[in-house]
């Protein structure tokens, strides 16, 4: 099915100030479904994820538990990696921004390009820095003197920094977003950023910080030509999308995969991706990503689930009890990607029972029990065409809709059994009964195929069951 197309997809790189929670799992699962879909249609696909490590947040967390930052980082990185393995995330690379070989040369090469374009200048600056956001905020962002997202007061900072001349690109960028050259999904987020540019314009951004005396060596990328300054963490972090492809050191992957086909991000980091990042790329004369998929947030008790707010649901608990496929199922189908959604253990259990254990799991067992009893074998379809509405949903990043389309076929097949009663038909008209059962098994096979991006293990088990004409083991066992 190969069509020689490429697809480069990235997740945000996460702050490793604590172990991952459902919110992180969410972004990564959505990205993985997209990557697996593109592999299914034959695209040469690259999925990148990783950690955003050169941050004050992380240093604070490490010290709070009496650890050295770099040691603390290694611990968190391995927890993230384990989560990816458990969730069956098919990332091709896991980039860490403390990686001096993989990340730093590219970040410094990009910085140099901005310098060459005359877009970096020095200025002294004072402002309020929110460590939670790792960004400067203004008085009007605060409620009772505190950042409402992090419930902490920002630090007053007065320092000399290098600035990036983002203002220079505001109009050009506006046009690229308005014309969908940089296509922002959904439309509401596109409108949000356009109206932000119209109302407030784009200010130049502080792009470096003085190196902190208490930061260990190895943390913070030195500004080329000025060791007393390290790159501002967002400048450092955003560049991961190209450094991971070897930008500035070994261009092979970069040539093949850049520009990104999509950056998957949460709505909380839209401005960084829809303004600063494309501004940097324009300054460096590099192509812009083709699209941003901006998803909503997972809430807990009505607020963004976050370690800083202390309202996290640990993905590990659900993984242990229900398994990875159930967690992937819930996140990909029952959280609407472009809105915020609350995740509760109760709703998780409800959809697990209704749609997996008693739904798909039961259906596969019924169909394959019939097939195993009445057929010698099932001729599996050689080429399974994807339903056009499923393809369209994936192209618009409407992952839950693509999933719904397949689940409506699960339901239809269920109803077909109830209505046609093949177990009775085989007694009165054996040939007609066998034909019906074979058709059902083939439909089950197709469903398995369509489930590949979402539930890779289940998809394989279903297809294998039909191929070998054997009832599968329980698909969704619970511990
Ligand atoms: N390190 C930056 C991103 C740099 S990208 C060049 C950052 N990290 S983060 O760990 O705070 O969050 C990154 C992303 O994780 C969010 O944009 C979002 O995609 C995901 N989520 C973190 N908490 C989330 C929820 N509660 N709900 C859904 N996704 C959330 O920002």
């Amino acid at each position: 099915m190969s069509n020689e197309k490429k697809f480069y997809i990235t997740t945000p790189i996460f702050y490793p100030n604590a172990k991952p929670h459902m919110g992180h799992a969410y972004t990564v699962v959505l990205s993985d479904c997209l990557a697996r879909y593109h592999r299914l249609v034959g695209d040469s696909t690259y999925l990148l994820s990783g950690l955003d490590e050169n941050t004050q947040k992380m240093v604070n967390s490490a010290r709070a538990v009496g650890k050295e930052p770099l040691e603390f980082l290694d611990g968190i990185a391995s927890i993230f990696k384990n989560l990816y393995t458990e969730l069956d995330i098919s990332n091709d690379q896991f980039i860490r921004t403390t990686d001096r070989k993989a990340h730093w040369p590219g970040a410094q090469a990009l910085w140099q390009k901005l310098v060459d374009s005359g877009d970096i200048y020095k200025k002294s600056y004072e402002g309020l820095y929110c460590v939670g956001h790792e960004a400067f905020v203004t008085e009007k962002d605060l409620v009772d003197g505190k950042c409402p997202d992090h419930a902490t007061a920002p630090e007053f900072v007065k320092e000399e920094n290098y600035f990036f001349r983002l203002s220079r690109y505001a109009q050009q960028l506006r046009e690229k977003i308005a014309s969908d050259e940089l296509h922002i999904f959904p439309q509401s987020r596109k409108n949000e950023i356009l109206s932000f540019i119209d109302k407030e314009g784009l200010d130049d951004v502080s792009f470096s910080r003085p190196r902190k005396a208490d930061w260990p060596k190895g943390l913070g990328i030195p500004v080329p030509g000025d060791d007393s300054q390290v790159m501002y963490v967002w400048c450092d972090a955003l560049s991961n999308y190209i450094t991971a492809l070897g930008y500035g050191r070994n261009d092979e992957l970069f040539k093949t995969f850049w520009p990104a086909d999509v950056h998957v991000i949460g709505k909380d980091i839209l401005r960084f991706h829809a303004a600063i990042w494309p501004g940097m790329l324009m300054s460096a004369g590099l192509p812009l990503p083709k699209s941003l998929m901006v998803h909503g947030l997972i809430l807990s008790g009505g607020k963004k689930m976050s370690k800083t707010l202390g309202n996290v649901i640990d993905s590990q608990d659900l993984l242990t009890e229900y398994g990875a496929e159930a967690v992937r199922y819930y996140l990909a189908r029952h959280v609407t990607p472009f809105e915020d959604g609350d995740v509760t253990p109760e709703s998780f259990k409800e959809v697990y029972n209704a749609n997996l254990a008693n739904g798909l799991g039961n259906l596969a067992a019924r169909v394959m029990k019939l097939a195993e009893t009445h057929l010698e074998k099932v001729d599996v379809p050689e080429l399974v065409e994807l339903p056009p509405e499923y393809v369209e949903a994936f192209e618009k990043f409407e992952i839950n809709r693509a999933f719904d389309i397949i689940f409506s076929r699960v339901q239809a097949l269920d109803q077909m059994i109830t209505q046609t009663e093949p177990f009775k038909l085989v007694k009165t008209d054996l040939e007609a009964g066998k034909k019906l059962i074979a058709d059902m098994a083939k439909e089950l096979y197709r469903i398995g195929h369509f489930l590949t991006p979402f539930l890779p293990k289940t998809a394989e088990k279903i297809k294998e069951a039909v191929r070998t004409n054997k009832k599968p083991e329980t698909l969704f066992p619970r511990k």
Side-chain angles (χ1 to χ4, degrees):
M1 231 204 246
S2 177
N3 52 13
E4 305 285 320
K5 267 175 45 189
K6 68 91 186 165
F7 195 82
Y8 177 37
I9 170 170
T10 66
T11 76
I13 51 171
F14 303 101
Y15 288 134
N17 52 318
K19 54 185 191 167
H21 58 65
M22 284 299 268
H24 305 115
Y26 182 56
T27 306
V28 175
V29 164
L30 291 184
S31 306
D32 188 63
C33 291
L34 289 171
R36 287 182 185 272
Y37 166 76
H38 281 276
R39 291 194 197 100
L40 189 70
V41 299
D43 293 344
S44 164
T45 302
Y46 201 90
L47 171 62
L48 175 70
S49 191
L51 296 181
D52 185 357
E53 304 190 307
N54 300 303
T55 71
Q56 188 60 45
K57 252 191 220 271
M58 181 282 295
V59 173
N60 296 351
S61 304
R63 302 238 157 101
V65 293
K67 287 218 169 122
E68 271 311 305
L70 295 175
E71 178 201 348
F72 176 81
L73 274 178
D74 286 342
I76 300 272
S78 73
I79 299 176
F80 266 89
K81 285 187 184 165
N82 283 342
L83 176 70
Y84 284 28
T85 307
E86 264 194 87
L87 278 173
D88 237 327
I89 304 302
S90 60
N91 56 311
D92 295 280
Q93 193 184 151
F94 188 83
I95 182 112
R96 298 179 53 185
T97 57
T98 48
D99 190 328
R100 291 170 166 216
K101 284 209 185 96
H103 179 62
W104 291 23
Q108 290 178 324
L110 181 60
W111 178 283
Q112 195 53 51
K113 286 276 181 205
L114 309 191
V115 172
D116 296 346
S117 302
D119 289 332
I120 297 286
Y121 62 94
K122 213 168 186 181
K123 123 173 171 185
S124 75
Y125 186 74
E126 51 181 64
L128 297 168
Y129 193 82
C130 170
V131 174
H133 274 111
E134 294 287 2
F136 282 101
V137 293
T138 59
E139 291 284 356
K140 67 176 183 328
D141 297 321
L142 307 178
V143 178
D144 295 331
K146 287 186 174 169
C147 162
D149 293 340
H150 298 99
T152 49
E155 291 168 17
F156 177 76
V157 175
K158 188 172 180 192
E159 56 195 28
E160 193 166 60
N161 297 337
Y162 290 98
F163 269 67
F164 170 54
R165 216 181 291 282
L166 178 61
S167 55
R168 183 172 172 189
Y169 297 97
Q171 266 328 302
Q172 227 177 312
L173 180 59
R174 195 198 183 285
E175 278 152 32
K176 288 182 193 286
I177 294 173
S179 68
D180 292 336
E181 190 181 327
L182 168 55
H183 197 156
I184 300 181
F185 293 84
Q187 178 78 28
S188 56
R189 298 287 162 222
K190 169 179 165 180
N191 296 343
E192 176 187 323
I193 194 76
L194 287 176
S195 81
F196 177 77
I197 298 176
D198 291 341
K199 273 200 210 111
E200 320 225 349
L202 294 178
D203 292 337
D204 291 353
V205 192
S206 160
F207 243 36
S208 72
R209 315 275 328 261
R211 173 178 286 290
K212 295 257 173 78
D214 66 339
W215 273 31
K217 223 171 161 241
L219 200 68
I221 309 180
V223 164
D226 184 351
D227 265 0
S228 72
Q229 295 260 329
V230 295
M231 285 181 201
Y232 169 46
V233 61
W234 273 98
C235 159
D236 156 353
L238 289 162
S239 65
N240 95 89
Y241 298 135
I242 60 174
T243 64
L245 296 182
Y247 176 79
R249 74 192 146 88
N250 171 2
D251 271 5
E252 213 172 300
L253 282 175
F254 180 73
K255 282 195 195 121
T256 311
F257 286 106
W258 191 258
D261 293 272
V262 62
H263 293 309
V264 175
I265 57 168
K267 69 174 191 187
D268 52 336
I269 54 176
L270 173 64
R271 282 188 207 165
F272 298 97
H273 285 80
I276 299 181
W277 177 229
M280 290 166 72
L281 291 166
M282 280 191 263
S283 172
L286 294 171
L288 301 195
K290 292 183 193 156
S291 53
L292 301 180
M293 180 214 174
V294 190
H295 64 71
L297 297 179
I298 293 199
L299 308 179
S300 164
K303 289 213 153 143
K304 177 186 173 186
M305 186 183 290
S306 95
K307 172 70 185 170
T308 323
L309 291 178
N311 59 353
V312 300
I313 293 183
D314 194 340
S315 31
Q316 198 54 50
D317 295 346
L318 292 175
L319 271 170
T320 309
E321 185 167 351
Y322 296 94
E325 300 275 289
V327 173
R328 291 178 64 105
Y329 169 78
Y330 187 89
L331 294 176
R333 182 161 183 231
H334 291 279
V335 185
T336 312
F338 299 132
E339 287 161 27
D340 294 348
D342 234 87
V343 172
T344 63
E346 294 74 32
S347 68
F348 193 98
K349 183 174 171 187
E350 195 180 302
V351 301
Y352 165 85
N353 281 332
N355 301 326
L356 294 183
N358 303 329
L360 179 60
N362 204 6
L363 174 75
R366 281 167 84 195
V367 171
M368 289 319 298
K369 177 78 192 145
L370 284 168
E372 189 184 85
T373 315
H374 299 289
L375 308 177
E376 246 102 80
K377 71 179 183 71
V378 183
D379 292 316
V380 292
E382 254 178 45
L383 199 85
V384 182
E385 244 181 76
L386 302 176
E389 65 276 21
Y390 167 91
V391 171
E392 191 214 282
F394 266 113
E395 278 167 6
K396 293 185 174 160
F397 308 115
E398 293 170 5
I399 295 168
N400 64 331
R401 189 161 72 87
F403 214 157
D404 284 346
I405 290 163
I406 305 317
F407 257 77
S408 62
R409 289 179 68 154
V410 170
Q411 270 170 345
L413 185 54
D414 230 0
Q415 275 166 8
M416 191 174 161
I417 304 183
T418 316
Q419 280 160 9
T420 57
E421 300 187 314
F423 37 89
K424 287 192 185 154
L425 189 59
V426 281
K427 290 185 193 139
T428 54
D429 184 342
L430 182 61
E431 281 318 303
K434 280 167 83 166
K435 161 96 179 41
L436 189 58
I437 294 168
D439 286 345
M440 289 176 174
K442 283 183 208 162
E443 173 64 358
L444 182 67
Y445 186 89
R446 283 189 285 269
I447 288 172
H449 188 71
F450 304 146
L451 285 173
T452 308
F454 312 106
L455 308 178
K457 291 244 159 64
T458 306
E460 205 29 65
K461 281 185 196 157
I462 290 178
K463 288 170 83 173
E464 180 64 12
V466 183
R467 257 188 241 118
T468 56
N469 193 24
K470 228 171 151 345
K471 183 171 162 250
E473 307 235 318
T474 309
L475 287 181
F476 302 102
R478 188 172 160 193
K479 279 188 205 105

